[in-house]
Amino acid sequence: MAIAGDKLTFGNGGAFMQDTRREVEQYLARGRTRLRGSLLLFAKAPVAIGLTIASWAVLVFVRPGAAGAVLCLAGLVLGALLTAFCVQHDANHGAYFRRRRYNHLLGWTADALLGFSSYAWRVKHNIAHHTYTNIDGFDDDARQVPLARFAPSQAPRPWYRFQHLYIWPMYTLMGLRLQIVGDLAAFARGTVGESALRVPRGWNLAGVIVGKCIFFTWAIVIPLLVYPWWVVVGAYLGFAMITSLVMATTFQLAHCVEEAAFTSAEEACATRPVWAVHEVESTVDFCPRNPLLTWALGGLNFQIEHHLFPHLPHTHYPRVAEIVRRNCAKHGIRYSSQPSLRAALRSHFLHLRAMGRLGIPPEIEMG
Ligand SMILES: [Zn+2]
């Protein structure tokens, strides 16, 4: 296997990936393992989408009191997060169905319910991020927040030394940016990192336009017929900012932490790393023994396994992790897993602080 970008190619998976893949295939071939994993995945979609729609419907048509409205908004946020982590993410990776068009249709919940383009997501996430994880310049996620530095190869700036403090409000704005201008800006630019993003046509274009219309109709237009404008704006901002904060932090805990390796584009081009080894070493699992969090995050706390097997339903990841961990030990590959959410958050915080200070002249650092 060789994966090629414009200038960057990877070595094939070698013995590590061969051994791991063989063991994972053996695990999947056992009894009804594959079927059970798919059924557990399918069961999540109606919960996520149903909770989102039911919370919105009660909020708009029943118009409950203040306490009920807060409860409905919490349900809306939870439903949207479950849709993001357990439905659109798996579907856009092709993990729900065999047929691509069904996966794209379910993945379109990102457009209609979350407000961002699944068409653009598949380039940004599946190609730029999954292929070139933590390679600065290729992985758009490593530069996704303005005024912040995630990788050592990025230039230092004096204000970055406060980034571990101001990054959190910036995470809350990422969702709003994607919903309103981010997708359009990406189409106009024509690239995500070094990956080409073509302007959508035909069904893809219809999906983007209809998706945006549906999202803003349920999130803004219909509520304006029922509630005063300031209530609608406040509720929309609260919904978008909380979901954005949780989504951004979840993805950052897997890659933007002290234990994850970052590579500059020049270094990656020169060394031609083995792809599977690069993915393991640039990714960190967290809370592997927390079944509730694993369920809610759609296995995104098992991102090492997700990066090696993105087409597999995430319901298999806890078992696959045992296989990957064993083979990493066998082949001398560094496998990192944080035991708790607190440890993962702390590592993200410390990484941001270290990146903010790295390369800053001492007089500025002290001033
Ligand atoms: Zn993914």
Side-chain angles (χ1 to χ4, degrees), residues 35-192:
L35 178 67
R36 198 168 53 240
S38 293
L39 290 178
L40 286 171
L41 182 69
F42 286 146
K44 288 180 146 186
V47 174
I49 298 169
L51 181 61
T52 309
I53 293 174
S55 303
W56 177 84
V58 172
L59 205 54
V60 171
F61 298 119
V62 179
R63 297 189 62 182
V70 170
L71 208 62
C72 286
L73 267 177
L76 199 57
V77 167
L78 186 61
L81 287 170
L82 290 173
T83 304
F85 294 145
C86 308
V87 182
Q88 73 86 23
H89 180 230
D90 279 74
N92 281 316
H93 271 301
Y96 260 87
F97 305 103
R98 288 209 177 138
R99 279 182 171 247
R100 198 168 68 153
R101 72 172 64 167
Y102 296 154
N103 282 307
H104 285 190
L105 194 62
L106 191 60
W108 186 72
T109 48
D111 297 72
L113 299 182
L114 306 172
F116 61 83
S117 161
S118 54
Y119 171 84
W121 169 272
R122 287 194 291 272
V123 173
K124 175 181 159 52
H125 182 77
N126 295 10
I127 298 175
H129 171 64
H130 267 266
T131 310
Y132 309 107
T133 310
N134 277 9
I135 298 178
D136 186 25
F138 282 79
D139 179 1
D140 194 52
D141 285 13
R143 285 183 183 250
Q144 62 188 326
V145 181
L147 306 177
R149 179 194 194 190
F150 295 151
S153 54
Q154 293 162 1
R157 297 278 183 268
W159 53 88
Y160 290 164
R161 68 204 158 115
F162 302 112
Q163 67 173 4
H164 55 293
L165 303 174
Y166 67 67
I167 200 77
W168 309 100
M170 299 198 81
Y171 285 163
T172 67
L173 301 176
M174 290 170 64
L176 284 171
R177 187 181 64 176
L178 261 186
Q179 287 161 0
I180 298 167
V181 292
D183 290 332
L184 295 176
F187 293 141
R189 217 170 37 242
T191 55
V192 177

Side-chain angles (χ1 to χ4, degrees), residues 2-341:
I3 301 159
D6 288 343
K7 297 165 276 185
L8 171 57
T9 56
F10 289 97
N12 65 36
F16 161 67
M17 203 51 195
Q18 279 172 11
D19 287 355
T20 307
R21 192 171 284 134
R22 190 182 59 243
E23 281 193 47
V24 169
E25 285 301 329
Q26 285 168 356
Y27 153 72
L28 290 171
R30 254 182 255 150
R32 299 188 168 187
T33 302
R34 217 179 253 279
L35 178 67
R36 198 168 53 240
S38 293
L39 290 178
L40 286 171
L41 182 69
F42 286 146
K44 288 180 146 186
V47 174
I49 298 169
L51 181 61
T52 309
I53 293 174
S55 303
W56 177 84
V58 172
L59 205 54
V60 171
F61 298 119
V62 179
R63 297 189 62 182
V70 170
L71 208 62
C72 286
L73 267 177
L76 199 57
V77 167
L78 186 61
L81 287 170
L82 290 173
T83 304
F85 294 145
C86 308
V87 182
Q88 73 86 23
H89 180 230
D90 279 74
N92 281 316
H93 271 301
Y96 260 87
F97 305 103
R98 288 209 177 138
R99 279 182 171 247
R100 198 168 68 153
R101 72 172 64 167
Y102 296 154
N103 282 307
H104 285 190
L105 194 62
L106 191 60
W108 186 72
T109 48
D111 297 72
L113 299 182
L114 306 172
F116 61 83
S117 161
S118 54
Y119 171 84
W121 169 272
R122 287 194 291 272
V123 173
K124 175 181 159 52
H125 182 77
N126 295 10
I127 298 175
H129 171 64
H130 267 266
T131 310
Y132 309 107
T133 310
N134 277 9
I135 298 178
D136 186 25
F138 282 79
D139 179 1
D140 194 52
D141 285 13
R143 285 183 183 250
Q144 62 188 326
V145 181
L147 306 177
R149 179 194 194 190
F150 295 151
S153 54
Q154 293 162 1
R157 297 278 183 268
W159 53 88
Y160 290 164
R161 68 204 158 115
F162 302 112
Q163 67 173 4
H164 55 293
L165 303 174
Y166 67 67
I167 200 77
W168 309 100
M170 299 198 81
Y171 285 163
T172 67
L173 301 176
M174 290 170 64
L176 284 171
R177 187 181 64 176
L178 261 186
Q179 287 161 0
I180 298 167
V181 292
D183 290 332
L184 295 176
F187 293 141
R189 217 170 37 242
T191 55
V192 177
E194 292 288 323
S195 306
L197 174 65
R198 293 185 216 295
V199 173
R201 292 179 183 186
W203 280 108
N204 286 323
L205 180 62
V208 173
I209 294 172
V210 175
K212 286 277 182 211
C213 288
I214 289 179
F215 177 74
F216 284 111
T217 299
W218 75 255
I220 304 278
V221 178
I222 295 178
L224 277 176
L225 302 175
V226 181
Y227 291 102
W229 69 268
W230 53 272
V231 173
V232 175
V233 171
Y236 167 65
L237 290 178
F239 164 78
M241 292 169 83
I242 295 170
T243 48
S244 178
L245 176 66
V246 178
M247 278 183 72
T249 306
T250 301
F251 280 101
Q252 290 291 69
L253 293 186
H255 302 292
C256 191
V257 286
E258 290 178 302
E259 295 77 9
F262 281 87
T263 316
S264 69
E266 294 73 24
E267 194 183 340
C269 289
T271 56
R272 200 171 173 264
V274 171
W275 178 78
V277 175
H278 170 81
E279 291 303 310
V280 174
E281 295 191 339
S282 58
T283 310
V284 176
D285 285 2
F286 58 93
C287 305
R289 295 182 201 286
N290 187 332
L292 185 65
L293 198 73
T294 301
W295 186 87
L297 295 184
L300 285 168
N301 52 332
F302 286 98
Q303 285 241 16
I304 293 176
E305 292 67 30
H306 172 57
H307 273 254
L308 294 178
F309 300 97
H311 305 299
L312 208 59
H314 68 256
T315 44
H316 292 296
Y317 291 156
R319 295 298 302 276
V320 170
E322 296 166 18
I323 298 168
V324 174
R325 186 190 280 264
R326 190 169 56 245
N327 278 290
C328 282
K330 178 179 165 189
H331 292 276
I333 298 165
R334 182 165 51 83
Y335 181 98
S336 305
S337 179
Q338 296 283 9
S340 67
L341 193 58

